[in-house]
Amino acid sequence: MSAEAPAGQTAAVKVNPNGPTEETVLAVEHYTDRLFRFRLTRPQSFRFRSGEFVMIGLPKEDGKPLLRAYSVASPSWDEELEFYSIKVPDGPLTSRLQSIKVGDKVLLGRKPTGTLVLDALTPGKRLYMFSTGTGFAPFASLVRDPDTYERYEQVIVTHTCRDVAELTYSRNLIDSLKDDPLVGELVGGKLALYTTTTREPYPNMGRITTLIENGKLFTDLGVPPLDPSTDRAMMCGSMEMIQDTKALMIKAGLTEGSNAAPAEFVIEKAFAG
Ligand code: A2P
């Protein structure tokens, strides 16, 4: 019973059954002044497919929720939820979200959705996941899902960022999978992470679009060029990155799929502000 409610009466609490739930921050890790990840409690009723996104936010000063779309970075079997976020200094949400601490509350939407799911692709042999910046988030979910390895013989994740520090999240995560109790044995020999930078010296440099076009990606990985009979692809990054990568998939003969009509590649814009 709340302190405001007189004995014998129930406090009138306005709960919107479709509105966001309030979740508790369990962990926060900052990588650079532009990037961080956080983990939240997961309500039992929250179901999603690995690769989907959901609305995340904080209450505004007027009490109304301020929400933005975020890919869930944890897999569907995880008891907690993980998110990987950019920090935009004057971004309405991320300027505040970046200072959350363990124990704080974050709003979580109730309806996860999205096209970067295994079910939106037709069966194939090799799965590519092309990402830039925070576009790696949905793939952080999918590489931890055993279903990914049951469906594909080979899984290739590419991550391109401006500088080396921005690759920390993907490199640490993929590295840790070797010891993962659920997928540790599945990833061996099947999963490859291909990282590149564009603005800071690194052994492997260049935009992913350039590396697909000039064939360096395939030579480096020792795989044949893109082939619609064997290859499937997912892309997540800025609008421009998606458009440019999509054009290369179409040029290679792959067709775009969706939940309603699965095909050979699917796209999603990364959360940006
Ligand atoms: P670049 O440094 O050449 O702009 P951001 O942090 O701005 O989201 O960028 C993340 C990465 O995506 C950067 O390495 C950036 O390269 C790259 N990128 C930006 N636009 C495109 C594009 N149209 N196609 C492929 N990669 C891109």
Side-chain angles (χ1 to χ4, degrees), residues 25 27-39 70 82-88 93-101 134 169 271:
V25 178
V28 185
E29 188 177 358
H30 292 267
Y31 297 99
T32 68
D33 56 3
R34 291 209 315 146
L35 295 165
F36 73 116
R37 80 174 173 121
F38 55 95
R39 291 180 73 86
Y70 268 85
E82 181 165 308
F83 298 92
Y84 182 52
S85 179
I86 193 132
K87 308 174 199 176
V88 181
L93 179 62
T94 61
S95 61
R96 291 169 54 209
L97 196 62
Q98 63 177 284
S99 44
I100 53 167
K101 301 268 179 299
T134 56
Y169 179 66
F271 173 76

Side-chain angles (χ1 to χ4, degrees), residues 149 153-154 174 177-178 183-192:
Y149 306 98
E153 287 173 29
Q154 198 175 11
I174 302 288
L177 291 185
K178 294 193 293 285
V183 295
E185 292 192 356
L186 297 171
V187 300
K190 271 197 169 188
L191 174 67

Side-chain angles (χ1 to χ4, degrees), residues 248-259:
L248 293 174
M249 296 303 116
I250 291 170
K251 200 171 153 197
L254 280 74
T255 47
E256 185 174 354
S258 66
N259 278 292

Side-chain angles (χ1 to χ4, degrees), residues 97-259:
L97 196 62
Q98 63 177 284
S99 44
I100 53 167
K101 301 268 179 299
V102 171
D104 287 354
K105 300 289 182 196
V106 168
L107 302 172
L108 172 74
R110 291 181 199 253
K111 292 196 169 66
T113 182
T115 51
L116 299 182
V117 291
L118 297 170
D119 286 343
L121 295 173
T122 49
K125 184 175 160 195
R126 189 178 294 114
L127 175 62
Y128 285 94
M129 303 183 194
F130 298 113
S131 69
T132 55
T134 56
F136 177 73
F139 306 141
S141 172
L142 283 158
V143 294
R144 289 186 267 187
D145 192 327
D147 209 13
T148 304
Y149 306 98
E150 272 152 32
R151 295 196 195 202
Y152 293 94
E153 287 173 29
Q154 198 175 11
V155 178
I156 296 165
V157 188
T158 79
H159 192 204
T160 302
C161 292
R162 295 179 188 186
D163 54 48
V164 182
E166 293 185 340
L167 296 170
T168 310
Y169 179 66
S170 58
R171 292 172 73 186
N172 288 357
L173 178 77
I174 302 288
D175 222 35
S176 72
L177 291 185
K178 294 193 293 285
D179 307 317
D180 188 285
L182 204 57
V183 295
E185 292 192 356
L186 297 171
V187 300
K190 271 197 169 188
L191 174 67
L193 174 68
Y194 188 86
T195 52
T196 70
T197 59
T198 49
R199 302 192 192 184
E200 187 188 1
Y202 185 63
N204 200 4
M205 292 191 70
R207 285 187 171 194
I208 193 62
T209 39
T210 309
L211 299 166
I212 293 172
E213 269 187 301
N214 66 18
K216 185 172 186 297
L217 172 71
F218 310 108
T219 314
D220 286 351
L221 292 167
V223 296
L226 285 171
D227 178 344
S229 69
T230 51
D231 297 340
R232 301 291 171 264
M234 296 179 166
M235 288 95 85
C236 191
S238 65
M239 193 58 94
E240 294 74 28
M241 176 272 189
I242 287 171
Q243 290 309 329
D244 292 353
T245 321
K246 175 177 165 168
L248 293 174
M249 296 303 116
I250 291 170
K251 200 171 153 197
L254 280 74
T255 47
E256 185 174 354
S258 66
N259 278 292

